[in-house]
Amino acid sequence: MSADTQPQSDQSPATQFNPGQTPANDKNGFGKILVGICTLNESKNIESLIHQVRGFVPEADILIVDDDSEDGTSAIVSKLAESDTKLTLNVRKQRGLGGAIRHAMVAAIKGEYDLFINMDGDLSHSPSDLPAMLEAHAGRDDIDVVIGSRYVSGGKIDGWPLHRRLMSRLVNRFATLCLGLPVRDCSGSMRCYRVSALRDASATDLESNGYSILEEILVAMHRGGSTMTEVPITFTDRTQGESKLTLREATRSMIHMVKLSIR
């Protein structure tokens, strides 16, 4: 594995995540919860998103992993963290969704959290869906991953043009057929993981630095015996900022998935 695919630890001391820095957040019986949000130039969305997450899962710790945004995203988070002791900012000097998600997963494992929630930073995922995802874990030691799914009954997509819908369907069809994944929405990033299952599957040692990390995590966990379920969510296309998913990145992700299917 090349150096640029390893989990990054390039934060300044002022923004370094300290595992277990807050008391156990288990008021609702879910144990310690970490919500990880990876950002790149999300200054128009991040404050509203943090407030909404805090409203729906007030007991959770929130970790923002920012890939050195140039639009002031980290400054906004730093200001909010002054009055929210359960909000932490880590700034990476390298970019890539895969590395950012791995970084957040490492924090969840080192912090000995029970559940790790990952979601996008552009308000395409509604924090109002988080309680239902947590409830799917409640009392179910046999469920390791709860996926917020656009492609099960009750799930839907608002605002996507036809070409985005077709591309997403193609990617997910490939993932279910060629990678053998037992879920319909393999490319969505709104998920709630049991942290012990992430650790057992060595999910932090994965290779992808792009969007294919989302399929690669599921492949590693499925092959390691993890169980998965899906709950319906509504995915809403961003209204502020620009999408990071380019045609080049989509092509790179497909190539990586082909490699995964051959292994």
Side-chain angles (χ1 to χ4, degrees), residues 108-246:
I109 293 170
K110 287 186 176 180
E112 298 182 347
Y113 286 87
D114 297 289
L115 298 176
F116 168 65
I117 296 171
N118 184 71
M119 60 190 302
D120 288 347
D122 59 2
L123 290 174
S124 58
H125 296 143
S126 174
S128 64
D129 288 320
L130 293 177
M133 296 179 69
L134 289 171
E135 286 295 335
H137 269 293
R140 294 290 305 274
D141 291 337
D142 58 327
I143 298 296
D144 297 313
V145 188
V146 174
I147 296 173
S149 178
R150 302 160 290 182
Y151 299 128
V152 294
S153 178
K156 60 181 180 178
I157 298 172
D158 285 340
W160 263 8
L162 180 60
H163 75 276
R164 287 291 300 273
R165 292 173 182 267
L166 291 175
M167 182 170 67
S168 178
R169 287 288 189 178
L170 176 63
V171 168
N172 282 285
R173 189 64 172 168
F174 178 88
T176 54
L177 291 177
C178 298
L179 298 179
L181 293 174
V183 291
R184 295 185 180 183
D185 197 339
C186 307
S187 61
S189 62
M190 191 174 191
R191 300 173 183 171
C192 184
Y193 302 93
R194 193 174 304 281
V195 174
S196 59
L198 284 175
R199 182 185 60 242
D200 293 345
S202 299
T204 58
D205 295 331
L206 304 179
E207 297 179 356
S208 175
N209 201 43
Y211 282 77
S212 57
I213 188 71
L214 299 169
E215 289 84 10
E216 190 174 9
I217 293 170
L218 295 184
V219 168
M221 297 186 75
H222 180 54
R223 291 176 179 173
S226 292
T227 54
M228 306 174 188
T229 191
E230 299 178 271
V231 298
I233 65 166
T234 296
F235 178 95
T236 304
D237 195 20
R238 66 160 64 235
T239 59
Q240 301 285 340
E242 297 181 359
S243 173
K244 316 305 185 297
L245 182 57
T246 63

Side-chain angles (χ1 to χ4, degrees), residues 17-18 28 31 43 79 82 85 87 96 106 110 137 139 163 168 174 181 189 220 224 234 238-239 249 261:
F17 181 82
N18 297 313
N28 291 330
S43 63
K79 183 65 176 178
E82 292 176 3
T85 60
L87 171 64
V106 167
K110 287 186 176 180
H137 269 293
H163 75 276
S168 178
F174 178 88
L181 293 174
S189 62
T234 296
R238 66 160 64 235
T239 59
E249 176 57 37
S261 68

